[in-house]
C-alpha cells in the first residue's frame, strides 16, 4: 500500500498542507469559500507540529492492526480492503471517541457535521496523490 | 444419547472478545474448526445500544471487518449451560454436547440489579442487552414517557442519559457517590460533566440513592430516596454496574472469584480453557490489582491474546487499562488509568486548566499512570500510548500538557519509530 | 534615534476579498513583514521590512498578495535617482559602507543583447539536431602545439602526452559559490546537478564539506587569498583547482563572511573557529607578480601530480588582456574571467556597481590578445558574469570562450528572486542563508531536478542554434565571430568586440 512518507528535514512549516486538506474536505472544495463562507469551517486532517526549527506534518499512518479500527464499536472506522486506507464512515460514526483514545498519534479530530463525528485522513479517497502531498511546496511529504 | 459435536476451538459467547479471538486463531491456524455458540441472534455492538436508543445510529448490528471478513461457524440463539473444563466438553441448552480441544469463555457481563423494594415489575429497566433496547423504546412510546429516573452515574448511566437527552426526556440522575464516573473522574472533571448535563436539563442528585420504588398497581409511580426526597416518574433505568456472567460455570472446574481468573496468557485454571473480555478478572497494568475491566478495548486485546495462545502461539497480556470516553453536549471527557491516586502514593499531578477545558496527568516514577481530559481530548491517545508503553517522560516533562505538545515533543528515535517504525508500520 | 528619512521600498497589496488569514505569509517571511493580529481573521503587514523577495506572494494559496515597487515618495529627478537618494539617506543614518548582494544591477549596456547569431540558408545546409548528432562536449585545459601520431599499427596512436583536461558535456559550469555564502542544501543541489549533467560546480573559497568529497569528480575547488579549508585532500579530491585572484563583483577587494554565519559545519569546512569572521585579504600575500603566481600554480600542480588542470580566476578590469596573457604564461591551464555583472554574496555596492568592465568586451579582447600572441591554445577560457540564457552562452562561445560559468542563473533556477539581500543571511528562499529554519526551504532533490532541467533545456536550445548555423560541434564555434553581428553598437565597440555590424557580409 502506498503511504505518505514524512521528510521532516524539508518541512518548512508553511502549513499549506493543513490549508489544502481543509479545502479538500470542505463542502465546496473551493479555498476562499471554504474559509470565508462555510460554517462550521471544515477541519484539516493533518497537523503540523513545530518545535524550534524542527517541524513536520503528521497525519494518520493507516496502521496495520489499526487500534482505531479495532476499538471502533460501530464499525464506522474501517479499512478499505482495496486501497488499505483507514477511513471513517460518517454515516455510521456515533461520536463515541473510542478511536480518539486509541490513536497513538492523536490524529483523529471531532468534527461538527450534522452531528459530531470522527474526522481523520482518508488519503483523499485513496485515488491518486493526497492533496497534502501534491501541494507541499517543498516535497516534504511523499506518497510512495 | 444426544448428539456429540467435536471442534478444535469452541468460543462460548460470540461478541467482541470472541470476534477478535477467532481472527487471531485464523491467522495462526487456517483449517482448524472454530465453532461459536451464542445466545444472541446476530453480531451486534453493545456500546451502540445507547446510540440506537438516542437515534444517533440506525443499526445496532456490528459491521466491522473482524466479523464480516472472518466467517466462522456460529450457532446463533443457543446457550451453553454446562462446562467441564477438565474433560473439555460443553453442554448446550438443547442437550447437544460439544467436545473441544480449546475453548474460550467470553460470556461477558450482566447488569447488577439491586434488591430494592418495588424494583421488580413494569417500568424499571437495565440497559445492557439488545432486548433491553427494544423493550425500552417500546415502553417510552407506549407509555408516553416524559420523565425518567436514571439510577447510577457511572458509565452506562451516563451513556443512557446521552441517549435520553437526544429523545428530549426530562431526566433525574441519582448517584450515590459525590461525583459522576467515580473511578474515571476527579472532582473538577466531574463538575465539568455535571455542568454540561445541567445545561441539557438533567437534574443531578448526588450522594443519594433509591430507598424504594413506589407503584400504582403494576405501574411505577415514583420513588423515595435515602434522603427522603420523593420523585415521581413512570420509568426508571437502573445502571449501577455490571458483573461477570459466571453463574453458569458452577462445577466447571474453572476458578472464579468476581470474574474468571486467568494467567498472563488468558488461560483459566483449566488448561486449554481460556477466557477474555468482561467475564474475566485481570491485573490492572497500573495498580497491579485484580479487577474487572469491562470495556471494549480490553475485550479486543484479551480476545486477541487468548486466540493467539489457543492456536499455540505464545503471546503475553500486558495487563488491563481502564479507559473511557463520554460526551455531553459540547463537553467531551476521556479518562484512562489511575485518575485518583491513593493519598499515600508518591504520584505527581500535572494540571492544565483553561476556559471550559481541563487536563490532568498522573505521573509516577517518571511515567504516566493516569489521565483525565475534558474538552481538549484529541491528543489523549498520545498520552495513553505513552502510558501503555511505559515511556519515561523525563526527556519531555516540561512539554507535557503544553498546547503544542505532540509527537514532536518525544525523543526523536521513539517518535520516528512511532511514525515509521515497526510499532506502527508506514 | 532620530526618525529615518527612508520609507518602504515595496508596497504590499493584500486583496481583502481573497485573503483567508491562513497565515502562510506570516510564517514564511524571515523579515517579519506580516503579522497575524489579535483578531484571528486579519493579517497585517509591516511594509518597511519588505525586501521584495516574493516568497509570500509565491506561497499565498489564494494569490491574495502582490508586492510591488512603491511608487512616488522620491520626487522624480534625472540626476538624483532613487538609488542615489536612498544611498545618501542610509549612509547619513549609518555612517557605513552600503552593502549589497548579487551582481551589478545598473543599466550599463549588455552586449549580449546587441549581438545576433547567424543561420544557414541555401548555400550551407543547416543541421536538424533531432536527426543528426550535435556535439556539445568540450574540453578545458592546455592543448598541445602538435600531436605526434604513430601510424604504423592497425589504428593510429597518439604519442604525445596530453595535458589534463576537464570534460564538459555542456559548456556550462556552476560558478564559485562557497558553502557559507550559500546553504548546504544549495551546494548539494549544485553538486548533484553537475554530476547528473556531466559538468562541474565550484567550491568557492570556503573549503569543501566532507559530505561533498564523493562529488569530487565534478567539483572545482578554489584556493583564494584566505586559503580557507585548503589542504592536500581538498586539492586532490577535486577535478580541478582554481586560484582565485579576483571576482567580478568586487575586483581589487577581499571578502568577509561575518562570524554569525560561521556555524559548526562551516567552521569544520573552512578550518576556522566557530563564529569567527572569515576574512579573505584583498591580494594573496604571496603573489605580487606573474612570477609569484607561477610559483603558486606550480606548487599546486606538484601537489596534485600534474594530474588535473589548474585555473586562475581574475576579474575583468581595464588591462585584462595583458593580465590574462601573463596568467597563461604563469602556467594556468584555464583562465577564468569574471565580468562586472558577476554575482556575490556580499560586496560594497559602490565597488560592485562601478569597478570593472563588462565580460563581453573583456572576453573579446583576451581571446584576441592570446591568439595574436600564439598562446590561445595554452589555456582554455572560462568566462563568468551575467550569463542569463542559452543565447548568452552560445554568443560567449562565438566570441572566444571555451565555456561559461553561471552563478546567478543557477540560483534563480533554485528559486532566487534577486532581492539582493544575500549579505543579511535571511534569504527567504533558503539559498544564501545558514539559518536552519530557512535552509530547510530548499529541498536539494527539487533543487537538483530544477538545475538539471535548466541545463538540459539550454543544451537543447544550443543544439538548435548550432544546427541552424550548420555547425555540428560546439568546439567548432569557439571564437568564430563571423557568426556574430552587432546591432546598435558604435564602431569602437564593434572593434573591441571584433564583430562586424549587422548587415555586413563576410
Ligand atoms: C450500554 C453499554 C455501553 C457500553 N459502552 C461502551 C463504550 O462506550 N466503550 C467501551 O469501551 N465499552 C463499552 N461497553 C462495554 C462493552 O460493550 C463490553 O466491554 C464488550 O461488549 C465486552 O465484550 P465481551 O465479548 O467480553 O462480552 P459481551 O459483549 O458482553 O458478549 C457476551 C456474549 O456472550 C453470550 N453469552 C452469554 N452467556 C452465554 C452462554 N451461557 N452461552 C452462550 N452465549 C452466552 C452473549 O450472547 C454475548 O454474545 C458498553 C456496554 C454496554 C452494555
Ligand atoms: S487514526 Fe491513528 S490509530 Fe487509526 S490508523 Fe491512523 S494512525 Fe493508526
Ligand atoms: S467516534 Fe466514530 S469512528 Fe470513532 S470509534 Fe466512535 S463510532 Fe468509531
Amino acid at each position: 500500500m502506498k503511504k505518505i512518507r514524512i521528510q521532516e528535514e524539508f518541512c518548512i512549516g508553511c502549513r499549506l498542507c493543513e490549508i489544502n486538506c481543509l479545502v479538500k474536505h470542505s463542502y465546496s472544495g473551493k479555498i476562499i469559500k471554504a474559509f470565508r463562507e462555510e460554517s462550521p469551517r471544515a477541519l484539516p486532517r493533518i497537523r503540523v507540529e513545530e518545535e524550534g526549527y524542527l517541524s513536520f506534518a503528521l497525519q494518520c499512518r493507516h496502521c496495520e492492526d489499526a487500534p482505531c479500527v479495532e476499538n471502533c464499536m460501530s464499525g464506522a472506522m474501517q479499512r478499505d480492503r482495496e486501497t488499505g486506507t483507514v477511513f471513517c464512515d460518517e454515516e455510521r460514526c456515533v461520536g463515541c471517541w473510542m478511536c480518539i483514545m486509541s490513536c497513538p498519534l492523536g490524529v483523529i479530530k471531532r468534527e461538527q457535521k450534522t452531528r459530531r463525528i470522527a474526522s481523520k485522513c482518508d488519503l483523499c479517497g485513496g485515488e491518486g496523490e493526497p492533496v497534502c502531498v501534491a501541494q507541499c511546496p517543498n516535497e516534504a511529504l511523499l506518497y510512495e | 444419547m444426544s448428539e456429540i459435536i467435536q471442534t478444535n476451538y469452541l468460543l462460548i459467547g460470540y461478541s467482541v472478545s470472541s470476534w477478535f479471538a477467532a481472527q487471531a486463531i485464523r491467522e495462526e491456524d487456517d483449517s482448524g474448526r472454530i465453532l461459536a455458540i451464542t445466545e444472541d441472534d446476530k453480531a451486534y455492538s453493545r456500546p451502540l445500544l445507547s446510540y440506537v436508543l438516542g437515534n444517533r445510529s440506525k443499526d445496532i448490528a456490528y459491521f466491522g471487518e473482524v466479523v464480516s471478513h472472518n466467517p466462522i461457524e456460529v450457532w446463533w440463539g443457543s446457550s451453553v449451560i454446562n462446562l467441564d473444563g477438565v474433560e473439555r466438553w460443553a453442554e448446550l441448552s438443547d442437550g447437544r454436547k460439544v467436545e473441544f480441544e480449546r475453548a474460550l469463555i467470553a460470556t461477558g457481563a450482566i447488569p447488577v440489579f439491586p434488591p430494592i423494594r418495588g424494583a421488580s415489575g413494569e417500568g424499571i429497566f437495565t440497559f445492557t442487552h439488545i432486548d433491553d433496547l427494544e423493550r425500552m423504546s417500546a415502553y417510552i412510546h407506549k407509555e408516553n414517557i416524559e420523565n425518567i429516573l436514571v439510577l447510577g452515574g457511572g458509565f452506562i448511566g451516563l451513556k443512557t442519559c446521552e441517549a435520553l437527552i437526544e429523545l428530549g426526556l426530562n431526566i433525574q440522575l441519582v448517584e450515590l457517590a459525590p461525583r459522576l464516573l467515580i473511578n474515571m473522574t476527579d472532582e473538577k472533571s466531574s463538575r465539568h460533566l455535571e455542568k454540561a448535563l445541567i445545561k441539557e436539563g438533567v437534574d443531578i442528585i448526588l450522594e443519594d440513592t433509591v430507598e424504594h420504588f413506589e407503584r400504582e398497581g403494576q405501574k411505577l409511580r415514583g420513588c423515595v430516596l435515602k434522603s427522603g426526597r420523593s420523585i415521581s416518574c413512570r420509568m426508571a433505568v437502573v445502571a449501577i454496574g455490571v458483573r461477570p456472567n459466571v453463574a453458569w460455570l458452577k462445577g466447571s472446574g474453572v476458578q472464579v472469584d468476581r470474574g474468571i481468573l486467568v494467567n498472563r496468557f488468558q488461560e483459566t485454571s483449566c488448561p486449554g480453557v481460556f477466557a477474555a473480555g468482561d467475564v474475566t478478572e485481570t491485573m490492572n497494568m497500573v495498580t497491579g490489582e485484580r479487577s474487572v475491566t469491562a470495556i471494549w478495548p480490553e475485550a479486543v486485546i484479551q480476545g486477541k491474546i487468548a486466540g493467539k495462545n489457543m492456536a499455540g502461539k505464545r503471546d503475553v497480556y500486558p495487563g488491563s487499562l481502564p479507559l473511557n470516553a463520554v460526551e455531553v453536549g459540547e463537553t467531551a471527557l476521556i479518562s484512562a488509568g489511575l485518575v485518583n491516586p491513593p493519598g499515600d502514593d508518591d504520584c505527581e499531578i500535572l494540571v492544565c486548566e483553561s476556559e471550559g477545558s481541563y487536563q490532568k496527568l498522573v505521573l509516577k516514577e517518571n511515567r504516566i499512570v493516569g489521565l483525565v481530559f475534558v474538552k481538549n481530548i484529541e491528543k489523549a491517545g498520545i498520552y495513553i500510548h505513552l502510558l501503555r508503553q511505559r515511556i519515561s517522560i523525563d526527556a519531555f516533562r516540561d512539554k507535557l500538557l503544553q498546547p503544542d505538545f505532540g509527537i514532536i515533543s518525544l525523543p526523536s528515535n521513539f517518535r520516528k519509530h512511532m511514525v515509521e517504525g515497526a510499532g506502527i508500520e508506514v | 534615534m532620530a526618525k529615518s528619512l527612508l520609507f518602504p521600498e515595496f508596497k504590499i497589496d493584500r486583496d481583502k476579498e481573497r485573503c483567508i488569514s491562513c497565515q502562510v505569509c506570516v510564517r514564511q517571511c524571515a523579515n517579519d513583514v506580516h503579522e497575524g493580529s489579535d483578531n484571528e481573521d486579519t493579517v497585517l503587514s509591516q511594509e518597511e521590512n519588505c525586501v521584495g523577495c516574493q516568497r509570500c506572494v509565491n506561497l499565498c494559496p489564494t494569490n491574495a498578495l502582490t508586492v510591488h515597487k512603491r511608487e512616488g515618495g522620491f520626487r522624480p529627478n534625472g540626476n538624483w535617482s532613487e538609488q542615489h537618494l536612498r544611498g545618501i539617506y542610509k549612509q547619513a543614518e549609518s555612517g557605513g559602507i552600503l552593502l549589497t548582494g548579487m551582481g551589478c544591477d545598473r543599466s550599463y549596456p549588455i552586449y549580449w543583447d546587441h549581438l545576433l547569431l547567424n543561420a544557414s540558408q541555401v548555400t550551407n545546409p543547416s543541421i536538424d539536431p533531432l536527426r543528426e548528432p550535435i556535439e556539445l562536449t568540450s574540453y578545458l585545459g592546455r592543448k598541445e602545439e602538435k600531436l605526434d601520431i604513430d601510424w604504423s599499427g592497425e589504428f593510429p596512436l597518439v604519442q604525445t602526452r596530453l595535458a589534463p583536461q576537464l570534460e564538459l558535456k555542456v559548456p556550462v559550469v556552476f560558478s564559485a559559490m562557497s558553502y557559507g555564502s550559500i546553504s548546504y542544501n544549495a551546494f548539494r543541489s549544485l553538486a548533484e546537478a553537475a554530476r547528473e549533467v556531466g559538468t562541474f560546480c565550484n567550491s568557492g573559497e570556503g573549503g569543501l564539506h566532507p559530505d561533498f568529497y564523493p562529488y569530487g569528480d565534478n567539483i572545482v575547488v578554489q584556493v583564494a587569498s584566505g586559503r580557507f579549508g585548503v589542504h592536500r585532500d581538498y586539492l586532490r579530491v577535486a577535478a580541478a583547482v582554481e586560484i582565485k585572484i579576483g571576482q567580478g563583483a568586487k575586483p581589487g577587494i577581499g571578502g568577509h563572511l561575518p562570524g554569525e554565519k560561521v556555524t559548526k559545519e562551516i567552521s569544520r569546512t573552512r578550518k576556522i573557529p566557530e563564529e569567527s569572521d572569515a576574512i579573505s585579504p584583498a591580494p594573496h600575500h604571496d603573489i605580487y607578480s606573474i612570477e609569484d603566481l607561477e610559483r603558486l600554480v606550480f606548487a599546486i600542480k606538484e601537489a596534485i601530480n600534474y594530474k588535473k588542470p589548474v585555473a586562475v580566476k581574475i576579474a575583468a578590469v581595464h588591462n585584462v588582456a595583458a593580465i590574462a596573457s601573463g596568467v597563461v604564461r604563469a602556467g594556468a591551464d584555464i583562465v577564468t574571467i569574471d565580468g562586472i555583472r558577476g554575482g556575490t554574496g556580499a560586496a560594497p555596492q559602490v565597488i560592485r556597481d562601478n569597478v570593472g568592465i563588462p565580460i563581453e568586451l573583456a572576453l573579446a579582447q583576451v581571446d584576441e590578445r592570446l591568439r595574436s600572441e600564439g598562446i590561445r591554445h595554452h589555456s582554455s577560457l572560462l568566462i563568468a558574469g551575467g550569463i542569463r540564457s542559452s543565447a548568452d552562452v552560445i554568443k560567449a562561445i562565438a566570441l572566444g570562450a571555451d565555456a561559461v560559468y553561471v552563478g546567478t542563473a543557477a540560483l534563480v533556477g533554485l528559486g532566487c528572486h534577486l532581492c539582493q539581500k544575500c549579505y543579511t543571511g535571511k534569504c527567504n528562499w533558503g539559498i544564501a542563508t545558514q539559518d536552519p529554519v530557512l535552509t530547510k526551504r530548499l529541498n536539494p532533490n527539487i533543487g537538483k531536478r530544477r538545475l538539471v532541467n535548466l541545463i538540459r533545456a539550454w543544451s537543447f536550445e544550443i543544439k538548435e542554434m548550432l544546427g541552424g548555423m550548420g555547425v555540428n560541434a560546439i568546439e567548432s564555434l569557439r571564437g568564430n565571430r563571423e557568426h556574430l553581428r552587432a546591432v546598435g553598437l558604435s564602431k569602437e565597440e564593434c572593434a573591441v568586440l571584433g564583430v562586424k555590424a549587422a548587415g555586413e557580409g563576410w
Side-chain angles (χ1 to χ4, degrees):
Chain A
M1 171 197 181
K2 272 190 164 187
K3 298 217 165 163
I4 296 177
R5 191 153 70 79
I6 303 168
Q7 306 196 86
E8 63 182 40
E9 62 276 34
F10 303 134
C11 172
I12 62 175
C14 63
R15 296 183 186 249
L16 279 169
C17 51
E18 290 184 357
I19 293 159
N20 286 303
C21 180
L22 180 159
V23 174
K24 172 81 187 184
H25 295 99
S26 65
Y27 285 104
S28 63
K30 303 222 167 75
I31 185 165
I32 296 177
K33 270 200 179 146
F35 272 83
R36 300 176 57 134
E37 285 166 20
E38 290 178 18
S39 174
R41 197 185 270 182
L43 292 178
R45 293 148 184 227
I46 183 167
R47 173 174 88 231
V48 175
E49 297 196 352
E50 271 179 284
E51 198 177 293
Y53 59 80
L54 182 68
S55 62
F56 51 75
L58 190 69
Q59 68 295 81
C60 164
R61 306 321 297 162
H62 302 273
C63 315
E64 274 173 33
D65 291 332
C68 61
V69 174
E70 291 180 347
N71 288 335
C72 171
M73 43 78 155
S74 70
M77 198 64 90
Q78 56 193 284
R79 182 183 300 279
D80 184 308
R81 286 243 137 197
E82 258 154 52
T83 63
T85 310
V86 171
F87 71 100
C88 172
D89 177 349
E90 299 185 353
E91 285 295 302
R92 208 165 265 159
C93 173
V94 296
C96 68
W97 317 136
M98 294 295 288
C99 52
I100 291 185
M101 284 193 296
S102 320
C103 175
L105 297 171
V107 292
I108 305 176
K109 286 186 178 161
R110 300 147 73 215
E111 179 159 22
Q112 184 68 52
K113 294 257 171 111
T114 44
R115 57 173 187 272
R116 243 194 299 280
I117 48 125
S119 143
K120 68 175 282 295
C121 165
D122 55 0
L123 289 177
C124 295
E127 298 145 12
E129 241 181 17
V131 282
C132 54
V133 176
Q135 303 284 333
C136 174
N138 207 32
E139 293 179 9
L141 298 172
L142 299 175
Y143 192 51
E144 50 182 38
Chain B
M1 235 308 282
S2 58
E3 197 186 343
I4 296 185
I5 299 104
Q6 266 149 358
T7 182
N8 301 88
Y9 305 96
L10 173 67
L11 310 178
I12 305 171
Y14 187 57
S15 180
V16 193
S17 310
S18 286
W19 303 336
F20 282 89
Q23 189 183 46
I25 293 170
R26 262 296 163 262
E27 276 167 16
E28 304 301 330
D29 176 353
D30 53 17
S31 59
R33 182 178 186 187
I34 307 176
L35 171 64
I37 312 267
T38 179
E39 287 174 350
D40 301 335
D41 299 326
K42 61 177 175 197
Y44 76 92
S45 166
R46 250 155 255 271
L48 272 187
L49 287 170
S50 63
Y51 294 100
V52 176
L53 179 68
N55 293 328
R56 266 223 204 177
S57 175
K58 289 191 228 37
D59 205 339
I60 186 87
Y62 177 78
F63 290 93
E65 71 172 15
V66 58
V67 171
S68 57
H69 289 277
N70 191 43
I72 61 161
E73 194 180 347
V74 184
W75 292 357
W76 302 103
S78 49
S79 68
V80 175
I81 51 168
N82 265 315
L83 179 76
D84 189 325
V86 181
E87 298 297 324
R88 302 200 187 181
W89 54 259
E91 188 191 348
L92 273 52
S93 50
D94 60 12
R96 281 184 292 180
K97 218 170 146 180
V98 182
E99 291 180 354
F100 57 83
E101 287 169 21
R102 301 266 183 281
L104 178 73
I105 306 173
T107 47
I110 49 173
V112 173
F113 201 79
I116 300 173
R117 181 153 51 94
S120 52
E122 213 175 288
I124 298 184
F125 299 83
T126 55
F127 190 29
T128 63
H129 198 271
I130 191 164
D131 297 343
D132 301 331
L133 170 67
E134 278 148 26
R135 282 201 300 263
M136 275 168 66
S137 286
Y139 200 80
I140 291 171
H141 282 114
K142 194 182 95 212
E143 300 289 324
N144 228 338
I145 299 294
E146 282 170 3
N147 301 311
I148 191 162
L149 176 97
V150 176
L151 178 59
F155 188 65
I156 296 183
L158 280 184
K159 290 269 160 191
T160 310
C161 286
E162 265 184 55
L164 298 175
I165 288 168
E166 305 223 6
L167 292 182
L169 300 186
N170 301 321
I171 304 162
Q172 270 159 325
L173 176 63
V174 177
E175 165 62 49
L176 184 59
R179 60 173 189 272
L180 303 172
L181 294 171
I182 181 85
N183 290 322
M184 286 173 54
T185 59
D186 59 2
E187 183 78 22
K188 280 199 170 141
S189 46
S190 175
R191 293 292 103 87
H192 280 286
L193 265 189
E194 289 161 32
K195 235 162 104 188
L197 282 165
I198 292 166
K199 202 168 153 212
E200 300 291 336
V202 177
D203 178 16
I204 305 172
I205 303 161
L206 293 175
E207 295 182 87
D208 211 342
T209 188
V210 174
E211 209 272 327
H212 66 270
F213 287 102
E214 293 185 327
R215 295 193 173 266
E216 205 169 80
Q218 280 302 307
K219 299 229 178 294
L220 184 67
R221 204 188 58 200
C223 68
V224 176
L225 303 183
K226 279 262 156 63
S227 58
R229 177 169 168 187
S230 68
I231 289 174
S232 74
C233 59
R234 288 184 294 122
M235 180 172 167
V237 179
V238 174
I240 56 171
V242 293
R243 60 186 161 81
N245 179 8
V246 290
W248 64 281
L249 282 168
K250 237 173 231 141
S252 66
V254 171
Q255 219 185 348
V256 173
D257 188 359
R258 277 200 63 213
I260 298 176
L261 301 179
V262 289
N263 64 14
R264 296 187 304 151
F265 308 111
Q266 297 297 131
E267 200 165 14
T268 66
S269 57
C270 296
V273 178
F274 294 72
D278 290 5
V279 79
T280 63
E281 217 180 312
T282 50
M283 193 88 90
N284 182 307
M285 68 159 67
V286 171
T287 62
E289 284 159 16
R290 258 192 351 200
S291 60
V292 176
T293 309
I295 54 170
W296 182 291
E298 282 304 315
V300 171
I301 304 176
Q302 295 179 23
K304 285 207 302 195
I305 305 260
K308 281 262 183 282
N309 288 312
M310 286 165 76
K313 276 254 166 167
R314 264 309 182 229
D315 218 348
V316 173
Y317 173 65
S320 59
L321 179 70
L323 71 164
N324 240 316
V326 283
E327 185 174 52
V328 178
E330 302 269 291
T331 305
L333 179 147
I334 282 183
S335 125
L338 185 62
V339 177
N340 299 295
D344 54 346
D345 240 7
D346 44 352
C347 284
E348 192 184 332
I349 300 213
L350 297 182
V351 171
C352 173
E353 255 180 303
S354 64
E355 186 92 20
S357 116
Y358 175 71
Q359 294 184 310
K360 165 172 164 179
L361 279 185
V362 183
L363 307 176
K364 187 175 181 182
E365 287 156 7
N366 278 329
R367 291 181 166 68
I368 298 171
V369 295
L371 59 85
V372 56
F373 286 10
V374 180
K375 193 161 170 195
N376 283 337
I377 60 163
E378 279 157 7
K379 288 183 185 161
I382 305 177
Y383 293 97
I384 293 174
H385 184 66
L386 296 171
L387 188 164
R388 279 193 195 279
Q389 301 291 316
R390 301 175 205 269
I391 301 300
S392 160
I393 50 91
D394 249 359
F396 48 92
R397 171 186 288 265
D398 52 335
K399 293 169 198 150
L400 294 171
L401 298 188
Q402 296 300 308
D404 52 1
F405 174 86
I407 301 303
I408 203 161
S409 319
L410 310 179
S412 84
N413 52 355
F414 181 67
R415 102 175 117 77
K416 287 200 171 156
H417 168 78
M418 275 180 79
V419 174
E420 297 182 356
I424 297 164
E425 296 266 1
V426 175
Chain C
M1 208 173 75
K3 169 125 182 53
S4 169
L5 302 185
L6 286 160
F7 45 77
E9 230 179 313
F10 296 94
K11 180 156 169 30
I12 297 168
D13 279 337
R14 181 181 298 279
D15 185 339
K16 291 260 155 52
E17 296 281 293
R18 302 192 67 82
C19 177
I20 55 170
S21 307
C22 68
Q23 323 265 328
V24 167
C25 51
V26 179
R27 287 186 283 268
Q28 285 299 296
C29 183
N31 300 307
D32 297 328
V33 169
H34 307 288
E35 206 184 334
S37 70
D38 292 342
N39 164 9
E40 256 198 20
D41 274 348
T42 46
V43 177
L44 310 170
S45 305
Q46 288 261 314
E47 296 184 337
E48 321 40 336
N49 301 340
C50 177
V51 301
C53 77
Q54 309 288 338
R55 177 81 185 175
C56 54
V57 174
N58 181 264
L59 268 86
C60 172
T62 60
N63 296 320
L65 288 173
T66 23
V67 171
H68 39 90
K69 186 103 189 77
R70 194 173 189 272
E71 292 305 330
F74 294 105
R75 196 177 177 288
N77 186 316
N79 186 29
W80 295 94
S81 70
E82 175 169 342
Q83 195 179 21
H84 285 114
L85 295 171
R86 276 192 184 278
I88 291 174
Y89 290 140
K90 264 191 220 162
Q91 293 190 301
E93 280 163 25
S94 71
I97 290 178
L98 296 174
L99 280 181
T100 186
M102 300 317 285
C104 166
D105 61 3
R106 294 289 183 89
S107 53
Y108 300 130
I110 295 168
Y111 291 97
W112 306 127
D113 296 342
H114 292 272
L115 293 172
L116 300 172
L117 293 164
N118 194 28
S120 305
Q121 298 295 302
V122 185
T123 55
N124 50 341
S126 48
I127 305 168
D128 181 349
L130 294 177
R131 290 164 199 269
E132 288 178 57
I134 292 195
E135 190 55 67
L136 290 191
T137 306
S138 49
Y139 294 88
L140 303 186
R142 180 191 173 87
K143 305 296 183 305
E144 304 308 320
E145 263 357 284
K146 112 177 195 303
L147 297 180
D148 287 333
I149 296 173
D150 175 3
W151 297 96
S152 61
E154 197 182 341
F155 300 105
L157 283 176
V158 177
Q159 298 292 306
T160 318
R161 207 172 131 207
L162 299 176
Q165 304 286 319
L166 285 185
E167 182 187 327
L168 271 56
K169 294 272 186 243
V170 271
V172 181
V173 181
F174 299 129
S175 65
M177 290 177 279
S178 65
Y179 169 42
S181 72
I182 60 170
S183 65
Y184 179 95
N185 285 345
F187 195 81
R188 157 145 277 162
S189 308
L190 291 164
E192 296 213 4
R195 177 147 87 181
E196 175 98 5
V197 299
T199 183
F200 298 85
C201 68
N202 188 311
S203 71
E205 55 182 293
L208 190 64
H209 190 280
D211 290 1
F212 299 123
Y213 275 53
Y215 296 84
D217 288 347
N218 294 88
I219 293 179
V220 176
V221 295
Q222 259 193 355
V223 173
S225 61
R227 304 283 152 91
F228 296 119
V230 177
H231 52 92
R232 194 190 59 182
D233 294 345
Y234 172 72
L235 298 176
R236 289 197 178 166
V237 76
V241 180
E242 183 174 79
I243 298 169
K244 178 196 171 186
I245 302 291
Q247 186 177 341
K250 41 182 175 177
I253 68 165
H256 177 194
L257 185 72
E260 323 55 283
K261 278 195 170 181
V262 182
T263 61
K264 185 157 159 247
E265 288 301 302
I266 289 174
S267 96
R268 203 168 133 211
T269 306
R270 297 206 171 200
K271 314 274 181 225
I272 54 171
E274 242 175 274
E275 287 177 28
S276 62
D277 289 9
I279 296 180
S280 300
H284 286 247
H285 286 305
D286 51 0
I287 303 180
Y288 287 90
S289 64
I290 293 292
E291 290 73 18
D292 288 346
L293 176 62
E294 183 175 13
R295 219 169 294 148
L296 181 60
V297 168
F298 280 90
I300 290 174
K301 287 189 173 185
E302 283 288 335
I304 57 178
N305 286 331
Y306 295 86
K307 285 206 174 112
K308 289 153 187 178
V310 171
V312 174
K313 176 176 180 177
I314 55 174
V317 291
H318 300 177
N319 204 18
V320 64
I323 298 164
S325 164
V327 168
V328 173
R329 288 166 200 282
D333 301 302
I334 300 164
V335 180
T336 304
I337 307 167
D338 192 8
I340 188 170
R341 285 186 306 271
T344 176
Q349 189 177 314
V350 67
I351 304 270
R352 184 194 75 174
D353 292 349
N354 297 287
V355 180
I357 63 170
I359 189 61
E360 302 90 319
L361 305 175
L363 166 62
Q365 283 299 301
V366 169
D367 182 60
E368 189 60 44
R369 172 83 174 237
L370 298 183
R371 280 169 193 255
S372 69
E373 291 180 1
I375 54 170
R376 175 64 183 84
H377 60 291
H378 287 187
S379 300
S380 295
L381 279 182
L382 192 45
I383 63 113
I387 298 287
R388 305 154 300 168
S389 66
S390 59
D392 292 355
V393 176
I394 201 163
K395 289 171 189 175
I397 287 172
L399 259 190
D402 287 78
V404 304
Y405 264 136
V406 293
T408 306
L411 299 190
V412 171
L414 290 177
C416 165
H417 280 60
L418 289 179
C419 71
Q420 310 193 11
K421 291 292 184 288
C422 327
Y423 65 97
T424 62
K426 288 203 216 158
C427 174
N428 265 327
W429 295 88
I431 301 168
T433 174
Q434 303 304 327
D435 178 341
V437 175
L438 303 175
T439 56
K440 285 198 291 183
R441 295 183 181 179
L442 179 57
N443 177 341
N445 303 324
I446 303 178
K448 168 193 171 181
R449 196 186 314 141
R450 295 181 63 92
L451 291 172
V452 169
N453 282 341
L454 177 68
I455 300 298
R456 205 158 267 161
W458 283 15
S459 42
F460 290 144
E461 291 178 341
I462 292 172
K463 284 184 180 175
E464 290 287 347
M465 290 184 281
L466 278 178
M469 291 185 240
V471 177
N472 69 358
I474 192 85
E475 293 205 313
S476 310
L477 180 70
R478 188 194 324 121
N480 188 346
R481 298 183 199 179
E482 279 302 347
H483 279 301
L484 295 173
R485 287 294 183 270
V487 277
L489 295 183
S490 68
K491 258 209 172 95
E492 290 76 11
E493 288 168 314
C494 286
V496 171
L497 287 167
V499 171
K500 291 182 183 139
E504 284 183 66
W506 301 133

